[in-house]
Each structure stands twice: as C-alpha cells, then as structure tokens.
Amino acid sequence: MKEPIVQFNDVHKSFGDVKVLKGIDLDINPAEKVAVIGPSGSGKTTIIRMLMTLEEPTSGDIIVDGKNLWKMEKNGKPLRANEKHLRSIRGDIGMVFQHFNLFPHMTILDNCMVAPIHVKKEDKLEVKERAVQMLDRVGLGDKLENYPSQLSGGQKQRVAMARALVMRPKIMLFDEVTSALDPELVGEVLEVIRDIAKNDDMAMVLVTHEMDFALDIADKVLFLDEGVIAEQGTASQVIEHSANERLQTFLHRFRKV
Amino acid sequence: MAFIAGLSRLSPNVIVRKITGAYVEVFRGTSLIVQLFWLYYAIPMLFGINLGSNWWIGVIAIGLNYGAYLSEVVRGSIQSVAKGQTEAATALNMSRFQRMRLVIFPQAVRMMLPEFGNYTIQMLKGTSLVSLIGLTDVLYYGDIMRSTNLAQAPLIYLLVLILYFILALPLIWLTRKGESISKKGVASE
Ligand SMILES: Nc1ncnc2c1ncn2[C@@H]1O[C@H](COP(=O)(O)OP(=O)(O)O)[C@@H](O)[C@H]1O
Ligand SMILES: [Mg+2]
C-alpha cells in the first residue's frame, strides 16, 4: 500500500477558549482529490490553514510526506517547529485563497514568476516559459503584462491557480475559491480546477459548497460538523446515500431542487 | 532614519522595539524648538560635548525629529498592507525577509509616498526655526531687510512666502506624482 502524503493524527485547534477542531484524523493519498464540505464555521478553512502552516494546531500531529510539520527535534529533544523547519516542508504545498491575494504591484506574469525565481532559485527563462504556459492553460495567455486590478474576479482566481501551480506542489489546497465570485464567473474557475484534477497527479483538498462539482471530481468527501469529521467516504456515499441527519439537512440547503 | 526606526518598531525583538518606541515618543512628543535648544545649549553644557557647528545641529535635530514622525508613517504603512498578502507569500514558501522585500515593502512604500511628501514640505518649513540657534535662513534675512526698511515689511514677507513656496514646489509636485503611483498596486485592509 502507498504511504499517505498527508496525515492528521488527533489534531485539535482552539482559538482562545473556543474549541474549533476536536480531534481530526485524516489520510490523504498522493494524487487523491478530497472535497471538504460542512456548515460555515465548522472549521474547514482552519484545517487547510494548518496544513499551509498559517495556523498552528493546539495539539496533535500533521505529517506531510513522512515529516512532522509542526514539530521538530534538536539533539533528540522535541521542539516546536521553527520557520526553517516549516520552510523545508511548506514547498510541497500550495494554496488558492478565497480572496485571491494576488500581488497587486506586480504584473500577472511576475505574480507567477516571483516565487520560483526567488524561493526555488530556478532559472529565469525556464520559469518564464513555464509561467507563460501555465497562464495559457488557465486561459490568460493574452494578459501577461496586465496588473491584477485590470482583471475580473474569475480571471484573478485563475491567475492565483497558475501562480500556485508553477511551484509544482505535491498538494494543492483550495479554500472556497469560487465563493467570492459573481455567479456567472464561477464556471470558468471550476473548469480550470476540473482540468487540473483530471490531468495533474497532485493531491488536492477542496473546501467547497459546489456539491455537484465535488461529486464529479472528488475521490473522497469529508463532512465536517461541530469540529469533527462526521462522515467520510466516496462522493456518492456521502452526498447521495448518507443517513446522517445533519448532513441531510446541510445538503438540503445547498441543493437547488 | 525613518526606515530603520519604522522597521525596528516591527521587529520580533522586544528590546529593539522598546528602544525605538522610546525614541519615537520622545521626539514626537516634544517640539522641534525644544529639541534644537537642547542640542545647542543643554547637551554641550551638561556633558561637555560639542556637537559641531550650529549648521550640523540644525541638521541633526531636524533629522531626528522628522525621522521620528516618518518612522510612524513607515510602520503604519507596513501594517496596513493586507494580511492576505503575507499569507499568499508564505504559501509560496517565501522566507520572512523575502516576504518583506518582495511583497510587503513595495506596497507599503506606495502608501508612504504621499505622506512622505507632506512631511518633507513641513520639514522645509520647519527649517525656519533654526534661526533661533543662530543659523541664517530665508526668514532671518527677510527679518533683517525688514528692520532696515520698515515701510517695505509686507512686501518683504510676501517675498519670503513666495520663496518658500518656490522651494516647496518641486516637493509638492513629487508628492502628487507619488500619490498617482500609489493609487495603483496596493492591497490594504
Ligand atoms: N484567527 C481566528 N481567531 C479566532 N477565531 C477564529 C480564527 N479563525 C477562525 N476562527 C473561528 O473558528 C471557527 C471556524 O472557522 P473556519 O475554519 O473559518 O470555518 P469554515 O471555513 O468552516 O467556515 C469559526 O467559529 C471562526 O470564528
Ligand atoms: Mg472558510
């Protein structure tokens, strides 16, 4: 059996006195596409932010490719991870945010080139070629010299995806990437994700409210509720055949029927 | 000066932060005239140190004073760059220094430019205070001319006014320019 690329072992997270996650256990295999659904405030964003090293778990372990993300050892003593340790693992992970977070002072092309050049110290021409290719792939090959402020929300989000992909992560995280978009722009962004999901062999974790989309591309669906994974399985098991009552109520609100 | 102090105030090191904090508060909290007199009269008397010519004292006092003000502008601008920018840079695995240099600082500078311009114009005007420690500036000459020729007083002050304005003009122009640059390319909260 193949080793999971990501493992959560009894991960808890509190903000002050508020317990947000109460024991998350989760395996993600290489190339697996995982959709995370659940009511607003159930901790979906927090899960992927911990994996992206933007939020530190209160307890428990997150293992990425065999390495403990938030803990390290020095002379045999266990320590909290420092920035250097985090950086040594973080390169495997990429993230697309709800609000795009493009760098507004750079052109679209520079947005996609800055990290490979400065972080991975790759050859500039090679990076440029790859970035142009990637922007072509997301349908923005004609906007290379534009600034983010000149783009629509859907276009911005596609740039954000290209920017993450150029880094060639092993795991890509998507946090409700269509929920800040006008309805007519959602389709173009989902198309790009579908394309990535079908053709690339990264693991993907998608927090999403697009149930039909999740059903279509996800190998596994997690239903997060009140700080725990209340239900998990294949998309059809969870979305179409689950007996979990809270899940049914939740799905009902999102189904357009 | 302003950049060093502004960045120091955001340093993860508590001691560095406290010391620059104290400097900023002292120089912002007291007036430039008092600082000038301190540097010119009090410090040489108390410590027997001579800070050099009064021209230098003028430069040092104004430098320290506006450095303190501007460091607050630097700090404020850096803090008002949206948190999402740091997070996106982190997600691309940039180091702390790269995040500052490539993502935060270039945006913060765009926000600082207009404020910097305003302060620089103020600083220019502040220079008239140095006449109090015996330096001669435009206003000082104006005063002399006025005392030799009382009837012309309004005209002479008008000339001084125009002179200051002419000196400030390029700065005002630069500030405008800065504002238009800063309009594009900042993500703030
Ligand atoms: N930085 C934070 N400080 C305090 N509370 C937070 C913070 N981030 C998230 N929370 C709280 O944690 C809970 C889960 O948030 P989140 O993971 O964003 O949920 P979801 O993405 O499922 O809507 C919410 O109640 C939210 O208010
Ligand atoms: Mg969320």
Side-chain angles (χ1 to χ4, degrees):
Chain A
M1 240 197 77
K2 54 189 173 180
E3 280 288 300
I5 184 124
V6 175
Q7 281 178 286
F8 279 60
N9 295 330
D10 197 26
V11 173
H12 291 248
K13 175 69 188 176
S14 308
F15 293 103
D17 292 336
V18 186
K19 291 201 174 100
V20 174
L21 297 173
K22 305 165 192 166
I24 299 294
D25 289 289
L26 171 64
D27 283 359
I28 301 170
N29 291 318
E32 193 174 28
K33 321 297 177 202
V34 179
V36 182
I37 61 174
S40 151
S42 57
K44 305 181 295 295
T45 299
T46 305
I47 287 188
I48 59 177
R49 282 174 62 85
M50 289 191 302
L51 187 50
M52 192 66 257
T53 72
L54 298 173
E55 214 76 74
E56 185 173 358
T58 312
S59 69
D61 293 309
I62 300 176
I63 315 291
V64 177
D65 211 1
K67 286 161 284 187
N68 197 324
L69 183 59
W70 283 101
K71 289 173 192 164
M72 55 184 229
E73 268 186 24
K74 205 170 172 185
N75 310 323
K77 267 199 312 197
L79 284 176
R80 218 175 124 194
N82 60 16
E83 176 73 12
K84 189 166 162 239
H85 176 85
L86 293 175
R87 270 197 95 195
S88 71
I89 304 176
R90 200 191 271 148
D92 284 345
I93 310 168
M95 179 161 174
V96 183
F97 298 84
Q98 196 171 355
H99 297 287
F100 334 126
N101 300 350
L102 295 181
F103 305 133
H105 58 299
M106 295 180 194
T107 62
I108 302 314
L109 185 58
D110 285 337
N111 263 276
C112 296
M113 289 175 60
V114 62
I117 290 172
H118 288 96
V119 176
K120 298 179 89 178
K121 315 274 182 226
E122 289 182 80
D123 177 69
K124 219 172 166 166
L125 286 177
E126 216 173 282
V127 170
K128 183 168 179 182
E129 199 176 314
R130 210 161 80 221
V132 170
Q133 227 171 33
M134 205 57 86
L135 284 165
D136 252 339
R137 181 174 174 194
V138 301
L140 291 167
D142 57 338
K143 302 269 189 218
L144 302 180
E145 297 305 323
N146 285 56
Y147 282 85
S149 58
Q150 298 166 310
L151 304 184
S152 73
Q155 291 172 328
K156 283 183 199 168
Q157 198 57 296
R158 287 185 276 146
V159 174
M161 283 190 245
R163 178 175 71 175
L165 286 170
V166 174
M167 290 294 274
R168 306 204 230 249
K170 295 181 186 161
I171 307 146
M172 274 276 273
L173 312 175
F174 298 81
D175 188 12
E176 291 193 39
V177 295
T178 56
S179 65
L181 300 177
D182 293 333
E184 72 271 20
L185 301 177
V186 169
E188 65 189 56
V189 172
L190 293 184
E191 259 343 283
V192 172
I193 301 178
R194 196 189 310 270
D195 169 47
I196 302 169
K198 301 277 184 225
N199 295 306
D200 291 29
D201 54 7
M202 315 171 270
M204 290 169 54
V205 182
L206 287 132
V207 173
T208 185
H209 283 150
E210 307 285 338
M211 295 307 151
D212 296 329
F213 184 70
L215 191 60
D216 180 26
I217 70 154
D219 303 312
K220 180 155 83 189
V221 174
L222 311 177
F223 174 58
L224 202 65
D225 190 33
E226 305 197 306
V228 296
I229 298 175
E231 191 80 33
Q232 68 173 309
T234 64
S236 79
Q237 278 167 3
V238 172
I239 296 181
E240 295 183 332
H241 303 296
S242 168
N244 183 316
E245 214 161 281
R246 286 181 61 90
L247 174 56
Q248 287 307 327
T249 321
F250 171 75
L251 287 173
H252 211 76
R253 294 213 330 266
F254 279 93
R255 277 282 150 85
K256 284 156 206 151
V257 190
Chain B
M1 190 73 230
F3 283 101
I4 296 169
L7 288 171
S8 303
R9 291 206 73 183
L10 296 169
S11 152
N13 185 319
V14 187
I15 299 168
V16 172
R17 233 170 29 224
K18 284 265 145 70
I19 291 176
T20 39
Y23 152 69
V24 170
E25 289 314 318
V26 167
F27 276 84
R28 272 191 343 148
T30 59
S31 82
L32 179 57
I33 307 179
V34 177
Q35 288 158 26
L36 273 172
F37 280 129
W38 259 88
L39 287 171
Y40 189 61
Y41 297 112
I43 292 190
M45 250 160 66
L46 288 175
F47 305 105
I49 317 167
N50 199 335
L51 290 170
S53 70
N54 42 14
W55 188 83
W56 271 112
I57 290 175
V59 170
I60 291 171
I62 289 178
L64 287 173
N65 184 272
Y66 286 92
Y69 275 102
L70 291 180
S71 76
E72 286 296 282
V73 176
V74 172
R75 181 173 74 125
S77 317
I78 287 174
Q79 283 180 331
S80 60
V81 174
K83 218 172 107 240
Q85 293 289 304
T86 305
E87 294 185 346
T90 306
L92 293 166
N93 209 13
M94 289 187 194
S95 67
R96 211 168 272 169
F97 183 67
Q98 286 170 336
R99 292 191 306 245
M100 187 51 92
R101 179 168 64 96
L102 301 167
V103 176
I104 308 303
F105 205 67
Q107 295 183 58
V109 165
R110 284 170 167 79
M111 283 190 264
M112 286 173 214
L113 285 176
E115 289 261 15
F116 261 50
N118 287 335
Y119 274 109
T120 315
I121 293 164
Q122 259 187 44
M123 176 157 67
L124 178 75
K125 294 186 272 182
T127 54
S128 65
L129 292 174
V130 297
S131 65
L132 294 171
I133 57 167
L135 268 179
T136 51
D137 81 318
V138 178
L139 186 61
Y140 173 83
Y141 281 117
D143 239 12
I144 293 182
M145 279 162 77
R146 185 204 54 159
S147 52
T148 53
N149 197 344
L150 264 177
Q152 301 279 314
L155 181 66
I156 287 165
Y157 279 126
L158 183 70
L159 279 176
V160 170
L161 204 76
I162 291 171
L163 226 109
Y164 267 114
F165 188 66
I166 290 171
L167 284 172
L169 215 56
L171 290 173
I172 292 172
W173 180 80
L174 275 175
T175 309
R176 286 275 155 73
K177 192 96 183 135
E179 270 168 15
S180 69
I181 293 175
S182 67
K183 282 221 179 80
K184 84 167 178 209
V186 191
S188 53
E189 315 245 73

